[in-house]
Amino acid sequence: MAKRNIYLETIPVEEAVDRAKAALDRISLLATETVPTHLAAGRVTAGPIYARCSSPTFHAAAMDGIAVRAEATFAAREDQPVSLSHGTGFVFVNTGNPLPEGMNAVIMIENVVQKDDITALIDAPAFPWQHVRRIGEDIVATELLISQFRQLMPCDIGALLSAGIYEVQVRERVRAVFLPTGDEVLDFKDRPEPQAGQVIESNSQVFMAYAASWGIDASYTPPVPDHEETLRQAVLDGLAAGNHAVIVGAGSSAGSKDYSKRVFESLGRVLVHGISVMPGKPTLVAVTDERSGHPGRLLVGAPGYPVSAVVCHEKILAPVLSWLMGATPPERATAEVVLARKTPSKPGMREALRLAAGRINERIVAAPLARGAGMITTMTRAQAVTYIPEESEGVDEGETITAELLVPLADLDRVLVHVGSHDNTIDLLANELMGLAEPLRLVSSHAGSMGGLNALKAGSALFAGAHLFDPETADFNFPFIARYLKGLDVTVVNLAIRHQGLIVARGNPLSILGVEDLAREDVLFINRQRGAGTRILLDHHLKTADISPRVVRGYDNEEFTHMAVAVNVLTGAASCGLGIFAAAKALDLDFVPLARERYDLVIPTAHMEDPRIVTLLATIRKEAVKTAINALGGYETDLTGQIMRPGMGLG
Amino acid sequence: MAKRNIYLETIPVEEAVDRAKAALDRISLLATETVPTHLAAGRVTAGPIYARCSSPTFHAAAMDGIAVRAEATFAAREDQPVSLSHGTGFVFVNTGNPLPEGMNAVIMIENVVQKDDITALIDAPAFPWQHVRRIGEDIVATELLISQFRQLMPCDIGALLSAGIYEVQVRERVRAVFLPTGDEVLDFKDRPEPQAGQVIESNSQVFMAYAASWGIDASYTPPVPDHEETLRQAVLDGLAAGNHAVIVGAGSSAGSKDYSKRVFESLGRVLVHGISVMPGKPTLVAVTDERSGHPGRLLVGAPGYPVSAVVCHEKILAPVLSWLMGATPPERATAEVVLARKTPSKPGMREALRLAAGRINERIVAAPLARGAGMITTMTRAQAVTYIPEESEGVDEGETITAELLVPLADLDRVLVHVGSHDNTIDLLANELMGLAEPLRLVSSHAGSMGGLNALKAGSALFAGAHLFDPETADFNFPFIARYLKGLDVTVVNLAIRHQGLIVARGNPLSILGVEDLAREDVLFINRQRGAGTRILLDHHLKTADISPRVVRGYDNEEFTHMAVAVNVLTGAASCGLGIFAAAKALDLDFVPLARERYDLVIPTAHMEDPRIVTLLATIRKEAVKTAINALGGYETDLTGQIMRPGMGLG
């Protein structure tokens, strides 16, 4: 059996960071270099910087007006103005002009009455040094201007140049290289078409984008194959190239092909194997010793799952590499948010929960997104991330938690929080709303139609997308609203009529043309799970066609999503299944329309005046949007934008 | 008389931004371009992006372990394990491996008992699709992945590459050029030595550093002279070079050489002349028309004072240029802070107040820094900025206000808030503390010795620097502590003994050797203001030497700072004045030591266990620090780091 690593222990990220800092000597690791001041923003000073010149270097007018000798104005009163002559008594000055010899005050031009070309009248005394910037007011030559280990901000550059400092000694940038690994990963530079068992390498580029925001000098290599000696050589090459840190992507876990730990152990001392946060757990941290040829450098094994890697970047690499350089690690603004759905969490592990968040009335409501470590799109769709603490067993619905914001706080006022059934028309709307001069961000938590109604009831969604068919009344959504949203006044607006149909193999080799064909002996069906709207629709159509479920081969084989149904068809595990057009299109399968259903937006009537909802509805009603929905295929827009009433069915 | 501009009205920054947005057509102004996905972080999408591939493209193991057919494990119980054979019953998989044909679940390796090389025992049933990432779990081919007008974040790059998107259509970067103006400004690239009436141009580089943080494509020119036609041509050149925005530095005010407004009026429509915020008021915003040859572009007149320019950058340029590109303007985290000193403010104008801020007990205390628009060092020294609203007449001491943070919130826990007399040894300490492995930031509000004691009383400083001499007792600080800090237990630690002396012209041409020489007829003295510690010291020495102030020529001529005294000597307005060595050194003047005084740190005893104070005192007591203080000149370190007692005087 292949040899596997085991985790010795997992430790909190803070302790992992502390161990790395304690094992690294940041003073000797990074050299210093001289750079022109005007190119030094973001760099960290290597030593204290003292002002060379004062600023101003002279007494300067601080206002546009006239320079005077204050004592000559002391007698001035409103009813007894003092008259001054140009040249001897006053001189015109603009802001920044040096104060003429003998003058010690400036009177603003607005407060000067010009009697004639050479005479000015002053009706109030000026006090000495009024509106004058005196020499050294801002900067005194020789004084400490900037301390050591300061990351230079834009205004620092201004202060340094003003003080006549034209070049500065700064610490080197931290150099770090990212080595993606894995036999199954394809170099994105080859623009590959991935086959089963292959994935496109992207973690290196997420790292590169993060690294740019940290201000480090980052690089990456093509994927390194799963071979211990090859990986060791790649790490040695990274060190030999002068990198202060080598980050190995994937291979830090406990699989039989995870060589990072053994490689790190052969080149130095492993400080951390496993951090108590999910995603992110299989993070390795080590420091090199003499065996590497370059002792005292940092080695990090970043997990392979994209969200795990992100947690490793944000919680381990950002603080450690920033500290190495002497820079301030980036910090996210936080906000108190109300969790929209009960979320259990494993005690003993901190958990990064991605959140779709937006303001609803006075609260910021946050709906948890999917939790898989492999789902990078949960990061692209999230507005916030919260960390459920180690000691917690989870967070209750309605509980207030602190979340790190991925977007500016003000943006949350311009978010439309949608909870409900996912549909591509919602994505289309989201794209449309981002194109407005003042964009609105439509964010979705995919909780199904019933989940959406529940969210409305809990006040944790601005609106819900639903396509609930009631066979009793042959109506959509209203019977369910009447049952589950008692006491909540809602307005229902149709977004589109959606086609469900039989997803069949390309070219429809079995010529499946309708629900009748499901009774055929050569047709193997794949069903959706009990309770799914699509299954209710199927049962309705079988009943109408007078076909017993028992004669449908495969009726008891269940899948949970449209895509999974389509995959069964793609792989030949089934001849057909019921699903939406988009699922067939995604896998390039054929589609036989079977049933039409209404996909409606259910909006609490109290929100109908909310400017975001007003904009949403105006957008839905645009002709261009209807055209775009029709272009998707599998939709009709006859009812789009119209307010629905109970009993309307399909209009 | 020279022609001057007048402000028509000042408007709030929000309205100025809205006017600019309303006058610009961002869709037509910026073209789109194609860039490789891996270089697109920070760019803004020009249109929606749909997934090309699904991710994963196959059912994949989500854990390291064995792949099984779930149905084969349903009977497994702890006391009745199910035995599976390698190959047909199970297959080893690592995370990411495709699920073998016929398998539909993964069991984690930790939960597998390996009976022998080919047999695995399972003691709990696996459910179908357990630990399996199913095809399209993250990304479904054809679905909307990223909407239009999205600024791509690091994780977006990962999502795009994972979906097989290797290049993206993005909006051009905004191009903006900064034209510094002014006959008196020197091009920093010439590494000039400024003379009276000259300043080193630096605003262009502060703009460049800001622009880098906005992600725009920025450039700048050498200073443009104060000449209307030359400025017009420079603006036209900036437009012809393809810039979407031309920013003219300085020249936007109402001085006779402020040509920006007239130039902008000749090339387009002025939208804003004057914003109701200080610093920053003389900001101009215009949009070009056909006369410029490039209609629909943005012209901004940024004020010349450095802090005014910063306010213009942050409050006008950042939001408008970000909006043009479709990006999110940078947003600062905010915090509630307690103001340490009453600060009146002019109603009708918002005022940007720079703050030295740090945590003291449970509060973040913020001491206002100097308010001059010309003082760029107030920005380098600040940890926070608050905006006093237009309708306010100021903020009271102890009032809680919201401030924008210039440093991460966590850094405020590592700030030592010092209020009191300024001294170069405090700067030296500040530099030393930044060099620690976990740096401490010593921030100072220069409020004088008495101001420092008041701050301790109000609980708004961690410690205070004081050098208060009491002629009655010939003791330092304690008599004042007894009088003004009744009931507050403080510990007094000496930082250094400081020399005050006579600042005289270089070479000491009048051979001024002591206080006796102040009675000479050929010596013209410059005094400090009534109440200044230095003046009290002078009076004491005059009295001791039995010299009447009446015989000291210039005794009634007052200055307010050591530097101002030194400037009088430098310019020949006085032959000598009393001040510290550093002031003489800054202007390269000679110094005749006259008096020694104790510069002490007054620390509330309750803070003595605070880790920051512990570190501060440990640092003061380092030999290297004493050596560095001595190297400054003008100091003695015999008492440095020692706890002072009443009546000790100079030891």
Side-chain angles (χ1 to χ4, degrees), chain A residues 212-428:
Chain A
S213 74
W214 305 332
I216 73 167
D217 185 356
S219 59
Y220 62 99
T221 67
V224 177
D226 284 323
H227 179 258
E228 185 171 335
E229 197 42 47
T230 308
L231 178 60
R232 183 175 294 108
Q233 193 53 51
V235 172
L236 286 169
D237 291 348
L239 294 170
N243 288 289
H244 306 109
V246 176
I247 297 119
V248 177
S252 60
S253 190
S256 56
K257 286 180 164 186
D258 291 330
Y259 300 116
S260 297
K261 185 160 181 244
R262 290 211 295 278
V263 167
F264 288 6
E265 281 169 342
S266 74
L267 301 175
R269 183 163 52 96
V270 170
L271 308 167
V272 179
H273 189 206
I275 53 177
S276 50
V277 56
M278 290 194 315
K281 181 179 158 194
T283 291
L284 263 173
V285 181
V287 60
T288 57
D289 60 24
E290 289 70 18
R291 290 173 292 165
S292 72
H294 302 279
R297 303 204 189 163
L298 180 69
L299 302 176
V300 172
Y305 275 134
V307 182
S308 308
V310 162
V311 170
C312 172
H313 296 345
E314 295 201 358
K315 299 300 173 189
I316 304 290
L317 288 175
V320 174
L321 298 184
S322 298
W323 173 85
L324 262 188
M325 195 156 75
T328 299
E331 190 193 45
R332 292 216 176 101
T334 61
E336 300 298 296
V337 306
V338 177
L339 200 70
R341 200 159 60 239
K342 183 182 167 72
T343 306
S345 179
K346 191 175 160 188
M349 290 296 270
R350 200 176 302 182
E351 183 178 352
L353 193 63
R354 286 83 84 194
L355 301 168
R359 192 176 295 279
I360 297 180
N361 301 324
E362 293 311 300
R363 314 184 307 170
I364 299 171
V365 170
L369 295 168
R371 296 159 82 178
M375 297 174 76
I376 189 69
T377 53
T378 57
M379 287 298 299
T380 68
R381 288 169 51 211
Q383 286 71 51
V385 175
T386 192
Y387 283 84
I388 303 177
E390 285 88 336
E391 62 274 16
S392 167
E393 294 191 358
V395 186
D396 271 336
E397 179 181 329
E399 202 172 315
T400 298
I401 50 175
T402 302
E404 300 180 5
L405 299 180
L406 306 180
V407 299
L409 182 60
D411 278 17
L412 297 185
D413 295 342
R414 305 196 54 78
V415 163
L416 284 150
V417 179
H418 167 243
V419 179
S421 172
H422 175 253
D423 190 75
N424 287 351
T425 51
I426 290 284
D427 291 343
L428 187 150

Side-chain angles (χ1 to χ4, degrees), chain B residues 515-519 541-552:
Chain B
V515 74
E516 299 75 14
D517 291 314
L518 301 189
H541 279 266
L542 288 174
K543 197 174 172 185
T544 307
D546 204 19
I547 299 169
S548 161
R550 273 172 304 156
V551 305
V552 177

Side-chain angles (χ1 to χ4, degrees), chain A residues 46 116 118 121 184 195-196 210 254 270 334 362 391 431 433 452 459 468 502 509 521 536 541 605:
Chain A
D116 53 47
I118 59 154
L121 296 182
E184 78 285 13
Q195 305 303 310
Y210 268 103
V270 170
T334 61
E362 293 311 300
E391 62 274 16
N431 181 63
L433 292 166
L468 292 161
L502 294 170
E521 283 216 347
I536 294 170
H541 279 266
T605 304

